[in-house]
Amino acid sequence: MASEEIETSKFLKDKEAGRNAPEKQKELESSDTSCGFSIFKGPTLQRFATAHMFVIMYGLAGCFLAMAFTYFTGTITTMEKRFNIPTKISGLITVGNDISTVFSSAFLSYYASRGHRPRWVALGLIIIALFCLLMLTPHFFYGAGEEALRLTEEYGLTESIDTSVNSTEKNDALCHEKNSNCVKGAEDYMPIVLFFIAQFVGGIGCSLFYAPGLSYMDDSSASSKTPAMLSLTTFLRMLGPAMGFSIVSLCLRLYIDPFKTPLITTKDPRWMGAWWLGWILITVILLIAAVFVGMFPKEMPSAKARRLKADDDEDIPLAKRSFQDMLDSLKRLARNKVYVYNMLASILYFFGYMPFWIFTPKYIEIQYRQSASTSTMATGTWALGFSAAGVLISGYVISKYKPSARAMAAWNFVVDYLTVAGILCYILVGCDESDRANSLSILPTGDSCSASCDCEYVYYSPVCSPENITYISACHAGCTEKGLDALGKTIYSGCRCMGNSPNLTSLSGLTSLASQSQIAMDGACPVDCNKQFIIFMAVMCFLKFVGATGRSSNLLLALRCVPSRDKTFSLGFSSMVYSVLTFIPSPIVFGYMLDSYCLVWGKTCSSKGNCWIYDTKSLRYTMNLVCASLIFVGSFWNIGVWYHAKDIKVFDEEETVNQTKKDEEIELKEKPKVIVQTGTLNNP
């Protein structure tokens, strides 16, 4: 009897367990499609579990991410001045995030696809917030620096400066016997190490942000809506550089120490803005964005319905993926000609266009004599506005007219040729006044008149002669005395390296200096390059617009040319390849190129510091010719993409629906004929 009760009880438990199993499975599955986490869950949040809402949030998060890296790009020249960093070292710092991408992108993107992808994206945003904090630390450790503080009124209160025009007291910036010290403290490489570590950490965050996020977005939306989704998220992401450059412009208008009063203006090449200030704001924004992105479900309800309805027998279950499966995916990608050719074309395009992504503000500063604030604002507003327009227009055209894969590939190599033509125009848009001024600036440095002066380690403090020639410093001009005119402007006198000056008695407040006839005004000689700057901006806006029109089509080809199961891995693997072959070597190569055309270095005790004056004409020709050649060669691979893209279905979902409708129409047309024929057979 007892045994019968035990068996009955067991049977009832098993039966109950059988009843509860589907309910538990249903509950488990529903948790994968519900928004929020921990106590932040409920029907209120669930209504946001849509593909459109994720696209908006993912696009805004991408905007903030792009804002962070754009802020770094816009502050490069200021950091070079502050920490005496050559451009080739800046390029090396820049590739830190790409080096980490090499080691993390393929593996993280593959294994992130098996988990909660929105939370992987959120983790990436948190890591990028850590990158921002690390970029901020050198300022708190080292402060504004003596080179910047000595150009403030507060520094003058502690270091008494005799402003009398008759003063004969020697100054470090003036010509005197060789007994001065070199620039100390500049040989500290710790700021460079901190910047590199920050970039390395940021690369890991980018790996977790892009590949899982793009594949999640593509899986969550119907393929017919993917172009519009990509355009929207790309548009939102492109607001990031505009916002980043705007923040840079505002921060660089403030002096590096906002609590002190500078003696120079933003037009002075020695001006250092508050490069560190924007990192605080960006860190907070990224952390907030991470919370919102992490609330999205593991899988969208609509995407899950499509997945369950579709036949996925050939796909490998996410939970059972292994390293061997990843190798199999890699073999499939290697045999995919469209994927390989598109990657080769992108490698050469990215390599050639990289200096314009990283060094555009610097290029504008040195070529057209614009301030750091103006350069970053122009790059981040006008140019990126045209980029955003290009993305939106291309997304609308693709969504409305649904071009074939071949048409998209054809447009990609048209974009390449237009880009080559625009870059060649950059060579012609030079400022002759700036070229001439830079070449004249170095002529007096080797003159025997300043050979007895101790100018080797003098700070870069340009002065302008009456002949409109800029000297590196008053020391290099052979000046022996310093004073002020009636307007409070600094005047250097006794400048024996200058020619005879014309009619000095007409200068106000210089009657006591008129007899000396050799004077110099503080600051570089004025150069007007505004006309050439406007022409350059017009060409750059055109290139930004054209290049942006090819982004959506190129990304669609990359997503559609591979099987669904390899989508996330293909994005991660391509990111790794781009890092190894493009994003790492290109900034270093062009950084060395910029340094090779440097005319005046800020020399320090142990090594050369940052560059102050470039051979702008030679640099303009060399850099633009190299960039145009690389992109031109890459265009031939896009022709290969066009040839092999004939079988790719970009809008396969709509084509299937249309084909089904056609089959139904044919069936309805043929059905009456069959009935008549059957009736004839049955009733002879």
Side-chain angles (χ1 to χ4, degrees):
M1 187 71 177
S3 61
E4 289 180 2
E5 289 180 357
I6 292 174
E7 288 180 5
T8 303
S9 174
K10 231 171 138 191
F11 173 77
L12 292 173
K13 285 182 181 179
D14 291 340
K15 192 174 181 181
E16 187 67 23
R19 287 177 183 171
N20 293 337
E23 296 179 1
K24 290 183 178 179
Q25 182 66 22
K26 187 176 180 181
E27 182 181 352
L28 179 62
E29 290 177 354
S30 64
S31 66
D32 289 341
T33 57
S34 59
C35 274
F37 49 82
S38 186
I39 60 174
F40 301 100
K41 281 189 176 183
T44 305
L45 290 176
Q46 190 60 26
R47 61 182 179 178
F48 296 108
T50 62
H52 287 85
M53 185 56 64
F54 179 79
V55 167
I56 293 173
M57 287 306 305
Y58 183 71
L60 289 175
C63 166
F64 302 142
L65 182 146
M67 182 170 63
F69 286 96
T70 303
Y71 187 85
F72 167 75
T73 300
T75 55
I76 281 180
T77 53
T78 303
M79 291 190 299
E80 288 178 354
K81 294 176 186 178
R82 167 60 189 93
F83 298 104
N84 297 285
I85 301 174
T87 306
K88 60 184 178 183
I89 302 299
S90 298
L92 185 61
I93 292 172
T94 304
V95 304
N97 65 82
D98 299 297
I99 293 175
S100 62
T101 299
V102 171
F103 296 106
S104 63
S105 181
F107 293 99
L108 288 177
S109 62
Y110 186 82
Y111 289 104
S113 64
R114 67 190 298 172
H116 199 299
R117 284 179 288 181
R119 291 183 186 173
W120 281 107
V121 174
L123 177 61
L125 291 172
I126 293 173
I127 293 175
I128 295 169
L130 177 60
F131 146 76
C132 297
L133 287 177
L134 290 172
M135 290 296 300
L136 183 63
T137 52
H139 177 76
F140 288 105
F141 289 157
Y142 295 92
E146 184 181 356
E147 190 172 356
L149 294 177
R150 63 192 293 270
L151 297 173
T152 62
E153 292 181 0
E154 289 76 6
Y155 186 88
L157 295 177
T158 57
E159 301 288 333
S160 58
I161 300 176
D162 189 355
T163 57
S164 173
V165 293
N166 296 320
S167 174
T168 59
E169 183 181 351
K170 299 298 181 184
N171 186 286
D172 285 343
L174 299 176
C175 175
H176 54 86
E177 297 299 327
K178 296 192 175 184
N179 58 3
S180 65
N181 297 322
C182 64
V183 180
K184 296 180 179 179
E187 65 274 7
D188 192 348
Y189 290 99
M190 187 54 64
I192 297 175
V193 173
L194 288 173
F195 288 142
F196 183 84
I197 292 174
Q199 290 288 328
F200 189 89
V201 170
I204 298 174
C206 288
S207 299
L208 288 172
F209 180 84
Y210 283 115
L214 286 174
S215 64
Y216 182 83
M217 180 182 65
D218 189 44
D219 292 341
S220 300
S221 58
S223 61
S224 60
K225 298 180 180 179
T226 300
M229 296 288 190
L230 289 176
S231 297
L232 178 57
T233 187
T234 304
F235 169 74
L236 292 174
R237 192 183 307 149
M238 290 181 66
L239 295 177
M243 295 169 61
F245 280 128
S246 298
I247 295 175
V248 170
S249 181
L250 293 174
C251 292
L252 294 185
R253 291 177 190 272
L254 301 174
Y255 201 58
I256 189 170
D257 189 339
F259 302 102
K260 291 185 169 51
T261 307
L263 298 172
I264 57 176
T265 65
T266 56
K267 295 182 179 180
D268 195 296
R270 295 168 292 174
W271 176 273
M272 296 185 198
W275 63 272
W276 54 273
L277 197 57
W279 290 118
I280 301 173
L281 175 64
I282 297 173
T283 301
V284 176
I285 293 176
L286 284 169
L287 291 175
I288 296 174
V291 174
F292 283 98
V293 173
M295 285 187 175
F296 281 92
K298 183 177 180 180
E299 189 175 19
M300 290 290 183
S302 57
K304 185 172 184 177
R306 284 194 301 271
R307 178 176 61 82
L308 294 176
K309 186 177 180 181
D311 184 11
D312 293 329
D313 293 338
E314 295 181 1
D315 200 6
I316 303 172
L318 294 177
K320 295 182 180 180
R321 290 187 176 181
S322 63
F323 183 75
Q324 182 60 44
D325 297 326
M326 187 176 68
L327 294 180
D328 294 337
S329 297
L330 184 59
K331 292 178 183 177
R332 286 192 294 271
L333 294 178
R335 291 192 296 265
N336 190 325
K337 291 184 179 180
V338 175
Y339 178 79
V340 173
Y341 290 171
N342 186 51
M343 183 184 294
L344 291 173
S346 298
I347 287 170
L348 290 169
Y349 183 90
F350 292 154
F351 202 110
Y353 211 80
M354 182 62 66
F356 299 107
W357 283 330
I358 298 178
F359 300 122
T360 294
K362 184 181 182 74
Y363 184 89
I364 293 174
E365 285 184 54
I366 64 179
Q367 289 287 342
Y368 306 108
R369 296 294 184 95
Q370 302 296 316
S371 66
S373 176
T374 301
S375 301
T376 53
M377 179 60 76
T379 306
T381 52
W382 300 349
L384 290 173
F386 279 84
S387 294
V391 168
L392 290 178
I393 292 174
S394 64
Y396 172 77
V397 171
I398 293 173
S399 299
K400 182 175 178 61
Y401 297 101
K402 297 178 175 56
S404 64
R406 268 197 160 184
M408 293 182 186
W411 178 246
N412 281 345
F413 64 74
V414 171
V415 168
D416 286 345
Y417 294 144
L418 292 175
T419 302
V420 170
I423 292 176
L424 292 177
C425 290
Y426 285 163
I427 299 176
L428 305 177
V429 186
C431 183
D432 293 335
E433 288 188 44
S434 178
D435 296 341
R436 184 167 52 253
N438 286 351
S439 61
L440 289 174
S441 294
I442 64 167
L443 294 178
T445 59
D447 199 302
S448 58
C449 68
S450 63
S452 60
C453 303
D454 189 13
C455 305
E456 188 174 8
Y457 296 108
V458 171
Y459 286 102
Y460 175 72
S461 305
V463 296
C464 183
S465 72
E467 294 85 8
N468 207 39
I469 297 176
T470 300
Y471 289 76
I472 298 172
S473 69
C475 179
H476 290 84
C479 304
T480 56
E481 297 181 8
K482 176 182 178 181
L484 297 178
D485 64 3
L487 300 176
K489 296 181 179 180
T490 303
I491 298 293
Y492 296 95
S493 60
C495 306
R496 57 190 180 188
C497 295
M498 297 180 181
N500 293 327
S501 305
N503 194 16
L504 298 175
T505 56
S506 62
L507 295 175
S508 175
L510 296 180
T511 53
S512 60
L513 295 177
S515 60
Q516 297 183 13
S517 77
Q518 294 175 322
I519 68 166
M521 302 293 292
D522 189 39
C525 297
V527 174
D528 185 11
C529 296
N530 290 329
K531 180 180 178 181
Q532 293 84 349
F533 172 59
I534 293 174
I535 296 174
F536 171 83
M537 288 301 302
V539 176
M540 185 171 72
C541 289
F542 170 75
L543 289 184
K544 291 286 187 180
F545 176 81
V546 170
T549 58
R551 289 192 181 185
S552 298
S553 58
N554 193 56
L555 185 54
L556 269 175
L557 286 174
L559 290 171
R560 294 288 181 262
C561 71
V562 297
S564 178
R565 57 181 169 177
D566 295 332
K567 192 184 304 179
T568 305
F569 176 67
S570 67
L571 293 173
F573 179 73
S574 59
S575 296
M576 183 185 73
V577 174
Y578 294 150
S579 297
V580 173
L581 300 180
T582 299
F583 299 142
I584 291 177
S586 183
I588 297 175
V589 169
F590 286 102
Y592 271 95
M593 183 182 293
L594 285 165
D595 284 347
S596 65
Y597 289 102
C598 181
L599 300 177
V600 177
W601 288 96
K603 194 172 182 180
T604 65
C605 295
S606 59
S607 63
K608 291 186 295 186
N610 61 296
C611 182
W612 289 102
I613 298 177
Y614 291 88
D615 182 357
T616 51
K617 185 176 182 179
S618 300
L619 175 61
R620 184 172 65 251
Y621 274 82
T622 304
M623 190 178 84
N624 290 311
L625 282 174
V626 171
C627 293
S629 300
L630 289 168
I631 296 174
F632 179 73
V633 173
S635 66
F636 291 101
W637 290 110
N638 272 326
I639 297 176
V641 174
W642 170 84
Y643 180 79
H644 292 285
K646 53 188 176 183
D647 296 327
I648 296 178
K649 294 182 179 180
V650 180
F651 303 97
D652 53 348
E653 184 176 280
E654 283 199 358
E655 290 177 2
T656 302
V657 173
N658 294 335
Q659 186 63 37
T660 303
K661 290 181 179 179
K662 289 179 181 179
D663 293 340
E664 291 176 354
E665 291 175 1
I666 293 172
E667 185 178 353
L668 289 173
K669 288 179 181 179
E670 293 180 351
K671 195 171 182 180
K673 295 180 181 179
V674 173
I675 295 173
V676 171
Q677 188 176 9
T678 305
T680 304
L681 289 173
N682 292 335
N683 300 285

